[in-house]
Amino acid sequence: MRASLKRAGAAVLATVGIAAGSLAGTAPAQAATPGDLQILGGIECHFGQWGQPWNQAWYMYRWMTVRNIGDTTMHNVILNEINGASVRVKELKPGESMSKWNGNRWVRPIETRWFGCFPSSISGFTFANEAENLTNNFGYWQNFRRMDNPGQQTPPTGS
């Protein structure tokens, strides 16, 4: 009986020693912050130079793209223009954007160019396989704004 108590005590001490050594050797865990997709876009009016053909003299450029502003790679990233184009990339690494520089200009995954510059808007959304902050996954841009005349008085009523 004494031998079995000694063996049981030695087993308990060995278990406690191994557990204490494991805890002492483990650094605190630091999880990477999740990926975070941010949608970007805009509408620009460009006016050409004298002597250019009429179809290049005045045009509107609408665009949207996505950037990963988080610390984790996002997979199967989809960018959708509402009632328009849809673009998918297999992965978007931290800090990376769907836009690419071609040596002359940024090429955006969704872009349209129209003759003239008139009131317009573009809107869309983005998502990926991983769960993330959805507050910056929808965007709406316009090139017109309603401005009320600040000096305008409302007519008096009654009297």
Side-chain angles (χ1 to χ4, degrees):
M1 173 127 163
R2 235 171 211 251
S4 61
L5 283 175
K6 283 184 182 178
R7 275 191 239 131
V12 168
L13 287 175
T15 304
V16 169
I18 291 171
S22 297
L23 289 175
T26 306
Q30 293 192 352
T33 58
D36 187 7
L37 298 177
Q38 177 186 38
I39 190 168
L40 304 165
I43 301 174
E44 305 163 6
C45 289
H46 295 274
F47 301 94
Q49 302 296 319
W50 289 104
Q52 288 187 353
W54 279 105
N55 65 351
Q56 296 175 12
W58 186 28
Y59 66 93
M60 177 173 52
Y61 175 64
R62 301 165 60 241
W63 60 274
M64 284 193 315
T65 190
V66 175
R67 182 178 9 177
N68 183 355
I69 59 173
D71 290 335
T72 305
T73 300
M74 303 295 282
H75 298 92
N76 294 317
V77 178
I78 296 176
L79 171 63
N80 282 310
E81 178 183 1
I82 295 178
N83 293 327
S86 180
V87 178
R88 178 184 166 271
V89 294
K90 286 189 121 182
E91 67 178 24
L92 204 58
K93 295 182 179 174
E96 198 174 47
S97 169
M98 278 188 171
S99 299
K100 303 296 178 213
W101 181 255
N102 73 355
N104 296 325
R105 69 176 191 91
W106 284 101
V107 177
R108 273 67 179 242
I110 294 180
E111 56 183 20
T112 53
R113 181 178 161 158
W114 293 328
F115 174 72
C117 194
F118 46 88
S120 185
S121 65
I122 188 169
S123 59
F125 58 93
T126 184
F127 61 92
N129 284 354
E130 292 80 13
E132 49 114 5
N133 175 14
L134 298 177
T135 60
N136 55 0
N137 287 28
F138 178 81
Y140 174 80
W141 297 269
Q142 62 185 15
N143 66 345
F144 60 91
R145 231 176 23 176
R146 179 179 168 206
M147 299 267 309
D148 290 330
N149 184 352
Q152 184 177 1
Q153 300 275 330
T154 55
T157 58
S159 185

